[in-house]
Amino acid sequence: MEDPESAGAAPPPGLSSLLPPREFLRSRKGQLLLAESVLSFIIFICYIASLAASFMMAPLLEFLLALFLFFAYASKLNEKFKGVHWPLADFLRCVTAAIIYFAISIAAVSKYSDGASKAAGVFGFAATIVFAIDFYITFNDLVTFLKQGSSDSPEGHKTE
């Protein structure tokens, strides 16, 4: 009997259908979003175990947003829903996340003395750097996106 995978047939649907494509995982955006999700989840767990549990909401929200965008970009929702300005939304998410992580990391390291708070602060500084890299790259994409939109409109006005 012939093996269905060797015959070139599509694998049966299951848990593997939820995994993002390998090309996206190798892309810079995929790796940044994956790093943001993992760091946010680690920081969330650290804040739950620490005395600074009041800071746990920010990493939870950032984890959920990064996870949503990871699967949105992986399933190419940004190409299907053109009404959403994806680069702008991603840029604003990254800027606010970097600022919030920087602020709560300083507070967690300086105000609390337990090890979990210190660990959350250190991971928060790492997340600040990852989000800053992402918003720098996204800013360049956003500028290109806006230049394309503005360069189309003056040509349309010249023909009128």
Side-chain angles (χ1 to χ4, degrees), residues 13-146:
L15 192 57
S16 63
S17 65
L18 294 175
L19 296 176
R22 194 173 295 250
E23 305 86 43
F24 181 72
L25 286 175
R26 291 184 179 152
S27 71
R28 181 173 53 192
K29 189 64 176 178
Q31 290 175 352
L32 281 171
L33 283 170
L34 188 62
E36 291 168 1
S37 299
V38 169
L39 279 171
S40 294
F41 185 71
I42 290 171
I43 295 166
F44 173 68
I45 297 299
C46 286
Y47 278 132
I48 287 177
S50 73
L51 297 175
S54 59
F55 294 141
M56 75 177 180
M57 193 61 171
L60 176 63
L61 288 176
E62 291 304 330
F63 168 70
L64 293 174
L65 284 171
L67 201 63
F68 168 74
L69 281 176
F70 180 77
F71 284 109
Y73 281 128
S75 62
K76 299 186 179 179
L77 284 178
N78 57 333
E79 295 173 4
K80 295 175 186 173
F81 295 108
K82 298 284 185 181
V84 178
H85 298 288
W86 291 93
L88 181 61
D90 199 20
F91 174 74
L92 292 175
R93 178 191 65 87
C94 290
V95 168
T96 56
I99 292 169
I100 289 171
Y101 273 132
F102 186 68
I104 65 174
S105 295
I106 288 174
V109 169
S110 64
K111 188 176 178 184
Y112 297 97
S113 61
D114 61 318
S117 296
K118 302 284 187 196
V122 171
F123 280 117
F125 287 127
T128 300
I129 293 169
V130 171
F131 277 101
I133 291 169
D134 195 9
F135 83 69
Y136 175 74
I137 292 168
T138 306
F139 178 74
N140 291 335
D141 295 342
L142 183 62
V143 168
T144 305
F145 176 76
L146 292 175

